[in-house]
Amino acid sequence: MATPCVSCGAAAFYRLFLGGRVSLTRRQGVWKAGAVELQTGTGFQILRLRHTTGVTTKKNVAALRRETYTVDFIKKQIEEFNIGKRHLANMMGEDPETFTQEDIDRAIAYLFPSGLFEKQARPVMKHPEQIFPKQRAIQWGEDGRPFHFLFYTGKQSYYSLMHEAYGKLLEAEKRQNQLQAKGLFSEKTETKDLIGSRWLIKEELEEMLVEKLSDQDYAQFIRLLERLLTLHCGAEEEFVQRFRKSVTIQSKKHLIEPVQYDEQGMAFSTSEGKRKSAKAEAVVYEHGSGRIKVNGIDYLLYFPVTQDREQLMFPFHFLDRLGKHDTTCTVSGGGRSSQAGAIRLAVARALCSFVTEEEVEWMRQAGLLTADPRVRERKKPGQEGARRKFTWKKR
Amino acid sequence: MASAVPRLLGAGVWSRPLRPRLLPSATPGRPLPGGRTLTSAATSAVSAPESSTDVSDRILSEPLKHSDFFNVKELFSVRSLFNARVHLGHKAGCRHRFMEPYVFGSRLGQDIIDLEQTAVHLQLALNFTAHVAYRKGIILFVGRNRQFSHLIETTARDCGEYAHTRYFKGGLLTNAPLLLGPGVRLPDLIIFLHTLNNVFEPHVAVRDAAKMHIPTVGIVDTNCNPCLITYPVPGNDDSPPAVQLFCRLFQTTINRAKEKRRQMEALYRLQGPVEQGAGGQGPAAPPSLGA
């Protein structure tokens, strides 16, 4: 019964002794993968047939290899950039100490005017960290030992993140078990943190880790974080928040025009609106009886078509203030429909100053505050119109 | 045990007929940075006693004169293995043919592993691990059971070594310059906490380590193939207490060996320039660190 063990042990030992002999010829201090060395050994026919790593494989050609920038090279580039920045400031007659990146851009655009359409092809002078892609420094020390304990997995940052997250999950579960054992566990629902933020997308995570990820890796990570969130533990919230990005509500970006006061003390608000090629400016008074004057003419006479007048009335109708505001507008350009749309946008924007924030959000969701981006599409050669093709004849 | 005899490091009986004596360039007794201790162990045991007064030579050759320099025997006992349920194997139907020598018997259809043999193998494996760690070798812990992935990674981090309990990319060991960067140093020892991967097939690293001449220590269960593993340790790899025991043992041995190395270096640095003759004694008793 012991014989099969001994024979396979003998075979393994024999192979190892041969390998040992090869490794003895290895030069000290130069780390080479064992496979490469096997090629240089003579007389080890068994091993050679087994395994050949080609140093001259196509992938190792200089032109195809990704360019690696050494740390010294990047440092030198940064020094040169700083010196060049000071020279540039002197050239432009500005103070070298307070020369910002915008000043640099302006100076370069002045000194090297370029007619190229592609912005990225124009001359640029930026900090080397923005030009040279972020690369990994050498991962091991002088003795060859890697710094990170998960180096041999290939994706050390990602797996160490998974390890950390899973560790936190285990701790949270343990704490929950302890609380349950003591009877102090209470069901808490704290989903407030999730509203207004989203998970980092795969590209952002890749940028954070400086490592390539696959879709499955990313999905697995998000699943782990969501599982961590279900445990509702305060200590882990900060860890999870690192991977959440807040999504700003669109309406906050709106500029609400200030209310102005005229000679009689009447409050009014002015704003502009555009649609196709029509431009309009509307002045909405706070108190009135619902009169609308367009270019000095009453809107019933200026817009004979009902549809255009409905467009004008819509902002007031939406806010239930149909007979409460007086409006005076000026409009030019475009046709009747686009003029009506331009005035509608201007009126809606002006009304924002008299109305609560909630109603402004409702107006935004109704589409009253968005400028209609549709413009006439150009006609293309070889076609009859923008989209219409010439009649196709079979023969 | 007939199977255990060839494995003892000190024994030169096995090595003589196999090792050809054609090494003009290699200095006998000067082990390599790669730390492939098998040949260097045999060299120092068989060839003439070191004549070099170099401190590093003495540091490296001193542990090889003792059969259990790091006293790994005291870290475990057959009783402690039994309490950790290391003797429990899989059902008789899952038994691998080459594991039959290590199986004590079977009870109610479940195989029981012979703990006497396990103890011998474990002592050899821990001794080897300690020597590799003493010589500052890179140790890689491999295991594919997701239940213990976190534990293995924590163990590796705590003893300052490396772990790989994730999806194993094909050419990681055999095509390392391409995957990990040119000039990378491969592990000098691979410890398998689980020899099989998630589909109950032998882990790719077992075969690749044998190809790359990297010695392996592996815990082989009754359904595993112990053939390509240098120091197989028959034992249970599925129960949490068993895996925790093994992790603790490996961690203790590695820490012990590194501590010992620090002590020896400090000792020889003090003694070396003053007196070279007396430096050979070294601490004869193994370190009595808290087990």
Side-chain angles (χ1 to χ4, degrees):
Chain A
M1 265 228 302
T3 26
C5 194
V6 170
S7 59
C8 79
F13 244 47
Y14 183 58
R15 229 177 283 132
L16 280 158
F17 270 109
L18 285 173
R21 191 195 138 157
V22 173
S23 62
L24 278 170
T25 57
R26 199 190 289 172
R27 296 195 296 281
Q28 236 185 348
V30 177
W31 304 112
K32 285 220 171 120
V36 177
E37 285 298 305
L38 286 173
Q39 283 184 328
T40 58
T42 50
F44 296 118
Q45 292 298 322
I46 309 160
L47 299 169
R48 239 222 220 136
L49 284 169
R50 267 282 184 102
H51 192 74
T52 45
T53 6
V55 186
T56 52
T57 43
K58 267 190 230 170
K59 286 201 187 131
N60 215 11
V61 172
L64 295 172
R65 233 182 298 148
R66 202 181 303 163
E67 252 206 86
T68 44
Y69 303 107
T70 52
V71 179
D72 302 316
F73 175 78
I74 300 278
K75 263 195 220 155
K76 208 174 68 166
Q77 294 293 312
I78 293 176
E79 279 165 23
E80 284 179 9
F81 171 78
N82 288 326
I83 294 169
K85 197 166 91 166
R86 298 185 76 88
H87 279 308
L88 191 64
N90 280 325
M91 264 193 271
M92 300 300 288
E94 304 225 14
D95 182 20
E97 305 297 328
T98 55
F99 207 55
T100 59
Q101 186 60 45
E102 287 96 33
D103 298 327
I104 296 177
D105 293 334
R106 252 183 287 124
I108 295 289
Y110 170 73
L111 292 169
F112 302 101
S114 161
L116 294 172
F117 282 106
E118 177 65 57
K119 296 257 163 73
Q120 284 169 346
R122 293 182 186 171
V124 92
M125 180 167 162
K126 285 207 187 308
H127 194 84
E129 273 180 13
Q130 291 167 12
I131 297 180
F132 296 104
K134 259 201 270 184
Q135 268 168 2
R136 285 260 184 92
I138 289 286
Q139 303 289 323
W140 51 85
E142 270 179 19
D143 56 351
R145 289 186 75 104
F147 298 128
H148 202 276
F149 75 107
L150 290 176
F151 169 76
Y152 288 104
T153 56
K155 293 187 247 185
Q156 61 183 51
S157 328
Y158 169 71
Y159 284 131
S160 81
L161 200 65
M162 291 288 278
H163 176 83
E164 207 187 321
Y166 191 69
K168 293 215 185 303
L169 185 78
L170 289 177
E171 278 173 37
E173 280 181 352
K174 205 168 81 173
R175 238 177 287 137
Q176 248 189 17
N177 288 337
Q178 283 172 353
L179 286 177
Q180 263 177 337
K182 287 185 198 166
L184 298 167
F185 182 67
S186 55
E187 290 286 342
K188 275 181 277 182
T189 44
E190 295 156 4
T191 44
K192 281 185 232 161
D193 318 77
L194 299 180
I195 300 171
S197 60
R198 60 166 175 85
W199 290 118
L200 284 182
I201 52 171
K202 190 178 127 187
E203 282 74 24
E204 289 168 350
L205 193 62
E206 278 185 352
E207 209 186 343
M208 201 168 113
L209 298 175
V210 195
E211 229 175 38
K212 283 252 169 284
L213 294 179
S214 77
D215 293 327
Q216 293 93 344
D217 291 338
Y218 172 73
Q220 194 82 348
F221 179 61
I222 298 294
R223 232 177 288 152
L224 188 61
L225 287 179
E226 282 177 356
R227 204 174 136 197
L228 194 59
L229 275 180
T230 55
L231 289 175
H232 302 304
C233 255
E236 279 75 51
E237 299 294 341
E238 316 127 43
F239 177 74
V240 175
Q241 287 303 329
R242 260 170 45 194
F243 305 100
R244 288 227 87 152
K245 210 170 174 181
S246 65
V247 173
T248 47
I249 307 169
Q250 291 291 328
S251 67
K252 293 226 167 79
K253 292 185 189 164
H254 264 274
L255 256 182
I256 299 178
E257 292 77 20
V259 180
Q260 298 163 32
Y261 294 89
D262 66 357
E263 305 89 45
Q264 276 96 36
M266 186 76 140
F268 69 92
S269 166
T270 322
S271 58
E272 293 166 347
K274 266 198 281 201
R275 171 89 213 273
K276 277 193 187 174
S277 52
K279 288 192 187 35
E281 199 196 314
V283 175
V284 176
Y285 293 90
E286 198 179 351
H287 305 286
S289 56
R291 275 193 303 256
I292 306 179
K293 278 212 155 219
V294 185
N295 282 352
I297 308 166
D298 193 40
Y299 73 117
L300 189 59
L301 303 169
Y302 194 87
F303 291 117
V305 182
T306 321
Q307 178 194 325
D308 302 335
R309 280 178 304 206
E310 275 176 2
Q311 287 287 297
L312 292 201
M313 291 196 306
F314 182 40
F316 301 108
H317 178 65
F318 184 79
L319 297 168
D320 277 333
R321 290 158 181 250
L322 265 175
K324 295 181 189 153
H325 293 278
D326 259 346
T327 317
T328 312
C329 13
T330 48
V331 69
S332 62
R336 64 167 178 103
S337 181
S338 41
Q339 279 187 348
I343 300 173
R344 180 185 114 170
L345 181 62
V347 158
R349 280 185 183 160
L351 272 175
C352 283
S353 16
F354 299 119
V355 132
T356 61
E357 283 213 15
E358 223 181 65
E359 291 186 311
V360 169
E361 181 61 24
W362 292 344
M363 283 219 289
R364 182 191 74 85
Q365 287 185 6
L368 276 166
L369 300 175
T370 321
D372 201 332
R374 295 179 289 176
V375 227
R376 186 173 158 273
E377 198 175 313
R378 69 159 275 196
K379 176 199 173 308
K380 284 109 193 172
Q383 293 174 0
E384 199 165 313
R387 300 284 172 104
R388 160 110 175 114
K389 322 278 185 287
F390 291 121
T391 314
W392 179 76
K393 294 203 180 79
K394 200 161 182 175
R395 46 187 73 83
Chain B
M1 302 286 149
S3 56
V5 163
R7 293 283 164 78
L8 287 168
L9 274 175
V13 180
W14 194 247
S15 59
R16 243 182 247 128
L18 290 179
R19 244 194 95 255
R21 301 253 206 163
L22 312 151
L23 302 169
S25 53
T27 18
R30 189 181 182 85
L32 299 150
R36 302 292 156 88
T37 31
L38 281 166
T39 37
S40 34
T43 316
S44 56
V46 173
S47 59
E50 3 85 62
S51 51
S52 55
T53 50
D54 206 4
V55 170
S56 61
D57 279 355
R58 199 162 308 131
I59 290 178
L60 292 171
S61 61
E62 184 58 41
L64 299 172
K65 295 174 188 161
H66 313 264
S67 71
D68 195 2
F69 186 67
F70 301 96
N71 198 15
V72 293
K73 271 200 288 277
E74 64 168 21
L75 292 175
F76 65 94
S77 64
V78 174
R79 168 63 58 176
S80 68
L81 292 177
F82 180 83
N83 290 337
R85 303 186 227 149
V86 168
H87 60 288
L88 300 174
H90 290 269
K91 289 283 192 183
C94 296
R95 194 193 306 167
H96 193 100
R97 207 188 127 198
F98 295 144
M99 289 300 290
E100 279 161 20
Y102 303 116
V103 160
F104 184 74
S106 86
R107 174 169 165 79
L108 301 173
Q110 185 180 14
D111 283 337
I112 307 295
I113 297 167
D114 187 0
L115 286 182
E116 307 267 324
Q117 292 188 54
T118 302
V120 174
H121 282 88
L122 187 58
Q123 191 261 321
L124 293 169
L126 290 176
N127 187 31
F128 184 70
T129 319
H131 279 267
V132 172
Y134 181 85
R135 285 156 176 267
K136 301 189 179 165
I138 293 180
I139 299 179
L140 183 67
F141 286 84
V142 173
R144 201 56 179 107
N145 194 332
R146 289 152 71 144
Q147 190 182 2
F148 305 110
S149 168
H150 187 83
L151 172 67
I152 297 170
E153 288 181 341
T154 323
T155 313
R157 192 176 47 187
D158 290 339
C159 44
E161 298 296 339
Y162 308 88
H164 186 107
T165 58
R166 310 284 176 168
Y167 175 73
F168 196 87
K169 256 177 144 178
L172 200 76
L173 295 175
T174 45
N175 203 6
L178 202 74
L179 268 82
L180 298 170
V184 72
R185 181 177 158 187
L186 286 179
D188 301 303
L189 171 68
I190 298 185
I191 300 182
F192 287 93
L193 276 305
H194 304 95
T195 315
L196 303 179
N197 58 15
N198 287 339
V199 271
F200 300 107
E201 277 170 5
H203 200 287
V204 178
V206 171
R207 189 198 64 197
D208 282 356
K211 277 190 184 177
M212 302 303 291
H213 306 294
I214 300 171
T216 46
V217 164
I219 300 173
V220 281
D221 208 344
T222 48
N223 58 351
C224 306
N225 185 355
C227 279
L228 285 177
I229 299 166
T230 331
Y231 289 92
V233 176
N236 187 5
D237 62 3
D238 298 301
S239 301
V243 179
Q244 280 159 13
L245 173 81
F246 282 119
C247 284
R248 214 173 34 240
L249 286 175
F250 285 121
Q251 190 177 337
T252 322
T253 7
I254 291 169
N255 286 334
R256 227 183 230 202
K258 287 182 173 174
E259 184 57 43
K260 190 75 181 126
R261 174 65 185 244
R262 280 195 286 269
Q263 281 179 5
M264 296 285 265
E265 281 184 337
L267 191 79
Y268 281 107
R269 222 176 302 129
L270 293 171
Q271 283 189 352
V274 180
E275 38 177 342
Q276 274 118 20
Q281 23 167 322
S288 54
L289 300 167

